[in-house]
Amino acid sequence: MAFAPIDTARLVLRPFSEEDAEDFAARRSDPETAMYQAWRVPYSVEKALAVIKESEHHDGPVPGHWFQLDVQRRADGRTVGDVAVYLHEHGHTAEIGYTLHSWARRKGYATEASIALIDYLVEVTGVHRVEAATHPDNTRSIAVLTRLGFAAEGIKREAFWVEDDVSDDAIFGLLAREWRAHRTTLEA
């Protein structure tokens, strides 16, 4: 069964298509966007196509793979960014991530898209635990995770590699029961 787009008040989360490759590559080529991520700039359209084609092989999150979703504004169809989910092999734990265009930041899009994704993971997929990791200096991402109800679980020292550079990784976790309790406090 194909993954059905997820609608929120302002956004639509839908599977990537090959037509999204240039926008995806441009977003990942922005130095500010890439600062705390696992890629170097520039990010080629060929790399973007490879990520998109990997996601196209799946009808949604499947154990052992990343699944990317394009995030568009409902009002005009413009892509604001993307969200991604990695479902661990046992299917009970998922890791999420989000990336926005620089012009789309500080508008609540990352929070709104993540709420929809976590709702899907907990209520449809049956995930027990949602994880996220970010650079300890990525205060904007940490603020989003905090708003979503994630608990800071610690720092993995020198655990995140981008080519030959290593940095610490801040780890956050959210249990399904915590999400259900916290969800009622969030506006979607």
Side-chain angles (χ1 to χ4, degrees), residues 19-145:
E19 291 78 32
D20 300 315
E22 286 188 29
D23 182 77
F24 187 50
R27 183 169 52 259
R28 285 193 167 196
S29 290
D30 174 51
E32 184 181 351
T33 300
M35 184 183 318
Y36 300 121
Q37 302 292 343
W39 62 80
R40 296 276 190 224
V41 297
Y43 195 89
S44 71
V45 172
E46 292 75 23
K47 283 183 184 177
L49 278 169
V51 170
I52 291 168
K53 287 179 181 180
E54 170 63 25
S55 276
E56 286 179 334
H57 290 303
H58 310 291
D59 289 331
V62 295
H65 297 277
W66 280 98
F67 186 69
Q68 303 273 153
L69 294 167
D70 190 69
V71 179
Q72 295 179 336
R73 284 193 303 215
R74 290 177 65 171
D76 59 8
R78 187 172 184 193
T79 295
V80 299
D82 61 89
V83 292
V85 58
Y86 179 83
L87 195 58
H88 289 249
E89 282 75 10
H90 51 70
H92 301 295
T93 302
E95 181 178 350
I96 66 164
Y98 38 82
T99 306
L100 298 179
H101 280 293
S102 58
W103 59 264
R105 294 184 189 128
R106 297 182 181 194
K107 294 175 173 49
Y109 294 140
T111 301
E112 187 173 333
S114 295
I115 288 169
L117 182 59
I118 296 167
D119 278 346
Y120 173 83
L121 291 169
V122 170
E123 302 305 336
V124 176
T125 307
V127 164
H128 175 74
R129 175 183 165 82
V130 182
E131 299 175 336
T134 189
H135 191 284
D137 295 339
N138 192 346
T139 56
R140 290 182 191 168
S141 185
I142 291 169
V144 169
L145 294 171

Side-chain angles (χ1 to χ4, degrees), residues 176-185:
R177 67 179 171 272
E178 295 168 338
W179 175 248
R180 288 183 183 108
H182 182 71
R183 178 65 174 92
T184 59
T185 68

Side-chain angles (χ1 to χ4, degrees), residues 93-94 128-134 142 145-146 149-157 169-175 177-178:
T93 302
H128 175 74
R129 175 183 165 82
V130 182
E131 299 175 336
T134 189
I142 291 169
L145 294 171
T146 301
F150 280 79
E153 296 183 334
I155 303 291
K156 289 170 62 177
R157 296 176 305 134
D169 214 7
I171 306 302
F172 293 82
L174 177 66
L175 302 178
R177 67 179 171 272
E178 295 168 338

